[in-house]
Amino acid sequence: MVVLAAFAAIYLIAGALPAVAVFVLQLCYVLPALQRFRGPWLLVAQAVAGYVAVLAAGASVGILGFLGGSLLLFRSWWPLLVLPVVGSAMVFGPVDPVISMVLVSLVVYGLIRLTERAEEAEAARVGGVVAAVAEERLLISAELGDGLGRGLAQIGAGARAALARPDRAGEVLAEVTRSARTCLASARAAAAAYRALSLTPELTTARALLTAAGIEAEVRTGHAEPLGPAGALLAHVLREAVTGVVRRGATRCRIETRAAHGRVWLRVVSDSARSADDESLGDVPARVVEAGGTLTTGLTPEGRYFTEAVLPGAVAVAKEEEAAADGGRAYRLSIALLAAVLVGFCVKALLMLDGAQLLPASAGFAVIVYLQLSSVHGRHPYKLGVMALLATLPVFVFGQAWLGAAGFLAGPLLLALPWRMAWPLVGVLVGWVAGMGVELGLAAGLVVNHAVSAVVTGLVMFGLLRQAQIVGDLRRERDRQARAAVVAERLRAARDLHDLLGHSLAAILLKCELARRLPAERARAELADVLAMTERGEADLRAASGGEQVRMRLAAEAESARSVLLAAGIEAKLRLGHVGLPSVAETALSAGVREAVTNVLRHSSAAVCEISTESVSGGTVLRVRNDGVSGPSGRPGSAGIGNLTTRLAALGGTLVAGAADGWYQLEAWLPAVPAAGEVA
């Protein structure tokens, strides 16, 4: 609106009072409250006001550009723009005013259309994120359905066949067991692949591990997700580094990430002053080097131990963002309009020169146009300096024709500098234009016209450049949010695959192996359990694919866990004292039961496992203890512990896991959660 007002002001200063009416009518395309007046009658009113200004008030034909810009906004009417252009050329003769009219038309159309495009892009941002998540869910569903869905179907069919044909039960059970083992491996591999896209869950796990060990943890993230293979390798580095921090008995640890120039950094610093122990990192240094990165360990000048890994990882994201910005229709429109207006202003200036001056002047303007277009992608101080020289010094060679070039400098000044600095500089520039006009012996009216035109041209350049940046920024932001949502969706799928389907498949595998060793009658009971677990596994698969929300009952999960533990020969003790939990809390704590029991089966030599819940002041506590600790620290850094930490943290809960006195205990606490909460 400011640019439109500046255009109208030029004609008003020249004495054309109808320019006020022209400007007011144009506001119907800019202000939302007046847009209901758009239509044929508004165009007629604009035409009347414009031609009155030209024929009665002596305004330049350029004022008809307001009408021309409005015509361009209507797809079916824009050919009518040819009539005022051709008519003006035939009636008024000089080419310069006609070019001015075309330029004003393009500026008016461009600013209004780009504003609409920016609003459309803003409105479409949420829709773009939703669409990206929906598309990702379809992809995940297809990926998981082809392998895991078919595998679960085979397990269910095999269990039913074994129940129907006891004489072939042994052969069928062997096949079912193989299918269950394959499905379990596929589920774990898929969960690891989805999780590897992001370093964020590993940062969450690292913080939980450090806090559980009594170490003050600080995490600063400065990278953008997803990182892809680099994220998986950095997650490995982080696990090894944090394990070393815990082992060396540090009291403070800081984890930092950042990304720049196509590379991503991970740095872990602790207050442990012991010498570097490269062997503790295993094969990690070699893998980092193989991936094109570097891994450094040592002591900081303050005597703190650090591990720093640098890997290629941000190039693809940066290129994707640039391609997304350059690929939008609105962005292409903004650049095309900017280029057209720049060329039009240059042609107007060149018409004032003779043949000998055309070539060097054209070369100078070509450089200015290039510098203007490159200003869309950021601030370039050295380019701004070159433009300052090109916009001012050639006036001593080309005279009045080059005075308009000062406006080309005003736009980038307003764009690159804070306004408290830019406007005084623009004021100096306008004063320079006026002074040069006097020095060249121009009439007072022309001096004022050139000075005002410098401001208007600067505002036009600023408006078009800023609109191009806004459209590009909105598109990049929408794509960034869509990528972040896709990463979050894949991480959710990884959690559900690991915590839900992984447990179900592990239980199915255990039951199948047990059934193969039991007499026929007892095996039938285990096969019935396999069928029930297969149905639950299919529901877990649908949840992991995003097809339905996960809902679990804590009491039922605890009973199922006891059944699985007993089948594995582990004494299971249940003591459930929770009351009145909403579904969201039961689901999160049920995932805790599954994770704890799965770790007991996979990583311990337990003879006894105790599962208990109790309601405490302000929340509920779940404890799972076993006497089969295989090492001094258990497995506090596993992917499942990280998943569970994330689920609980989303509801304001905490997780503590560790070994003491020969027992390993997982303790999850959740505050009172509103019944309307959502599953993490």
Side-chain angles (χ1 to χ4, degrees):
M1 190 166 66
V2 174
V3 177
L4 298 178
F7 266 130
I10 293 179
Y11 301 105
L12 189 61
I13 291 173
L17 292 179
V20 176
V22 171
F23 171 70
V24 171
L25 291 172
Q26 198 66 50
L27 292 181
C28 295
Y29 296 92
V30 178
L31 299 179
L34 300 178
Q35 289 183 3
R36 65 179 184 275
F37 296 113
R38 286 189 179 189
W41 289 110
L42 179 60
L43 290 173
V44 171
Q46 286 183 283
V48 170
Y51 279 104
V52 167
V54 173
L55 298 175
S60 168
V61 177
I63 199 171
L64 295 177
F66 286 90
L67 172 63
S70 301
L71 285 169
L72 288 173
L73 292 171
F74 295 89
R75 292 184 179 180
S76 57
W77 294 1
W78 70 264
L80 295 177
L81 178 61
V82 175
L83 297 178
V85 171
V86 174
S88 299
M90 294 176 62
V91 175
F92 300 101
V95 177
D96 183 88
V98 177
I99 294 177
S100 296
M101 189 187 77
V102 174
L103 288 177
V104 173
S105 298
L106 291 175
V107 171
V108 169
Y109 167 76
L111 291 177
I112 295 175
R113 194 68 188 98
L114 286 173
T115 300
E116 294 174 349
R117 289 280 188 172
E119 294 172 353
E120 292 168 4
E122 176 68 21
R125 186 165 59 179
V126 174
V129 172
V130 172
V133 171
E135 183 179 350
E136 189 63 24
R137 284 183 176 177
L138 289 174
L139 179 61
I140 291 173
S141 179
E143 291 174 348
L144 299 182
D146 287 345
L148 293 173
R150 187 166 54 248
L152 283 168
Q154 291 174 352
I155 292 171
R160 284 188 288 270
L163 285 170
R165 295 285 302 274
D167 56 317
R168 296 186 61 241
E171 177 185 346
V172 174
L173 271 174
E175 183 62 31
V176 171
T177 302
R178 282 193 294 272
S179 296
R181 188 173 290 111
T182 300
C183 276
L184 180 57
S186 297
R188 288 171 178 165
Y194 292 156
R195 183 182 171 90
L197 281 172
S198 174
L199 183 59
T200 301
E202 203 60 49
L203 292 169
T204 302
T205 302
R207 186 197 292 272
L209 173 58
L210 292 168
T211 302
I215 300 173
E216 182 181 341
E218 179 185 3
V219 178
R220 302 176 183 175
T221 56
H223 69 279
E225 301 285 5
L227 293 175
L233 186 49
L234 287 175
H236 194 175
V237 174
L238 180 60
R239 281 194 295 271
E240 297 296 337
V242 169
T243 300
V245 169
V246 174
R247 185 176 61 251
R248 288 190 294 272
T251 59
R252 292 183 179 180
C253 180
R254 185 176 72 252
I255 303 171
E256 300 173 316
T257 67
R258 64 186 179 92
H261 309 298
R263 304 184 76 79
V264 59
W265 279 258
L266 168 68
R267 185 177 176 88
V268 181
V269 184
S270 67
D271 59 2
S272 172
R274 299 189 181 184
S275 60
D277 181 9
D278 292 334
E279 293 183 359
S280 66
L281 295 174
D283 65 341
V284 173
R287 291 177 58 188
V288 170
V289 172
E290 184 179 353
T294 59
L295 181 66
T296 309
T297 60
L299 299 177
T300 67
E302 296 80 16
R304 296 177 179 177
Y305 184 75
F306 75 89
T307 301
E308 182 176 85
V310 184
L311 283 171
V315 175
V317 173
K319 287 184 177 179
E320 183 181 347
E321 288 184 348
E322 184 178 348
D326 291 341
R329 292 176 57 192
Y331 186 83
R332 292 197 301 270
L333 172 64
S334 66
I335 297 299
L337 282 170
L338 177 59
V341 171
L342 285 168
V343 171
F345 276 122
C346 294
V347 170
K348 278 172 60 68
L350 292 174
L351 289 174
M352 302 172 64
L353 299 174
D354 56 32
Q357 293 177 316
L358 283 177
L359 185 59
S362 298
F365 279 128
V367 175
I368 289 178
V369 170
Y370 165 75
L371 293 175
Q372 286 278 356
L373 293 176
S374 65
S375 298
V376 175
H377 299 290
R379 300 177 179 179
H380 307 278
Y382 68 94
K383 291 183 179 180
L384 196 60
V386 174
M387 191 181 300
L389 296 176
L390 287 175
T392 56
L393 296 183
V395 75
F396 296 103
V397 177
F398 302 112
Q400 180 184 352
W402 207 266
L403 280 179
F408 292 148
L409 177 60
L413 281 175
L414 292 171
L415 190 70
L417 302 176
W419 280 30
R420 66 179 181 274
M421 296 174 57
W423 276 112
L425 290 175
V426 171
V428 171
L429 185 64
V430 172
W432 181 87
V433 170
M436 288 304 302
V438 173
E439 182 69 21
L440 292 171
L442 301 181
L446 279 176
V447 171
V448 173
N449 182 272
H450 278 294
V452 174
S453 295
V455 177
V456 174
T457 303
L459 289 173
V460 169
M461 294 299 105
F462 170 78
L464 292 175
L465 286 167
R466 188 69 189 113
Q467 287 284 19
Q469 286 187 340
I470 290 173
V471 171
D473 290 345
L474 284 173
R475 188 175 181 86
R476 282 191 294 273
E477 177 63 16
R478 185 190 67 184
D479 293 340
R480 186 196 66 78
Q481 289 186 357
R483 285 198 307 274
V486 166
V487 170
E489 182 64 17
R490 290 222 157 197
L491 292 177
R492 181 206 58 76
R495 286 197 300 271
D496 289 348
L497 281 172
H498 182 281
D499 301 347
L500 308 180
L501 185 59
H503 174 83
S504 296
L505 289 169
I508 289 171
L509 179 59
L510 180 63
K511 289 284 188 178
C512 288
E513 291 176 341
L514 178 62
R516 294 178 64 187
R517 298 195 299 267
L518 293 176
E521 288 304 317
R522 293 183 59 190
R524 290 182 64 84
E526 300 301 330
L527 285 171
D529 284 347
V530 167
L531 277 176
M533 290 177 176
T534 300
E535 293 178 357
R536 187 173 68 182
E538 290 173 340
D540 292 340
L541 179 59
R542 289 193 296 272
S545 302
E548 61 184 39
Q549 200 171 35
V550 183
R551 300 291 183 190
M552 293 187 286
R553 305 294 298 177
L554 184 52
E557 288 301 324
E559 287 293 341
S560 176
R562 176 162 62 178
S563 171
V564 173
L565 290 167
L566 292 175
I570 300 173
E571 181 183 354
K573 299 180 180 180
L574 290 185
R575 188 175 69 255
L576 304 181
H578 64 278
V579 292
L581 285 179
S583 177
V584 64
E586 288 210 58
T587 298
L589 293 178
S590 295
V593 172
R594 288 193 177 192
E595 171 61 22
V597 170
T598 299
N599 283 341
V600 169
L601 296 173
R602 293 182 63 194
H603 308 299
S604 79
S605 54
V608 179
C609 181
E610 301 174 353
I611 303 173
S612 64
T613 62
E614 64 174 317
S615 296
V616 297
S617 177
T620 304
V621 174
L622 163 71
R623 294 186 184 91
V624 182
R625 304 175 69 238
N626 74 86
D627 63 351
V629 176
S630 57
S633 60
R635 286 179 52 80
S638 68
I641 292 296
N643 293 343
L644 186 55
T645 300
T646 302
R647 288 180 184 275
L648 295 172
L651 300 174
T654 58
L655 178 69
V656 178
D661 301 326
W663 286 72
Y664 183 84
Q665 177 172 291
L666 180 148
E667 181 177 292
W669 173 79
L670 271 183
V673 180
E678 294 183 357
V679 178

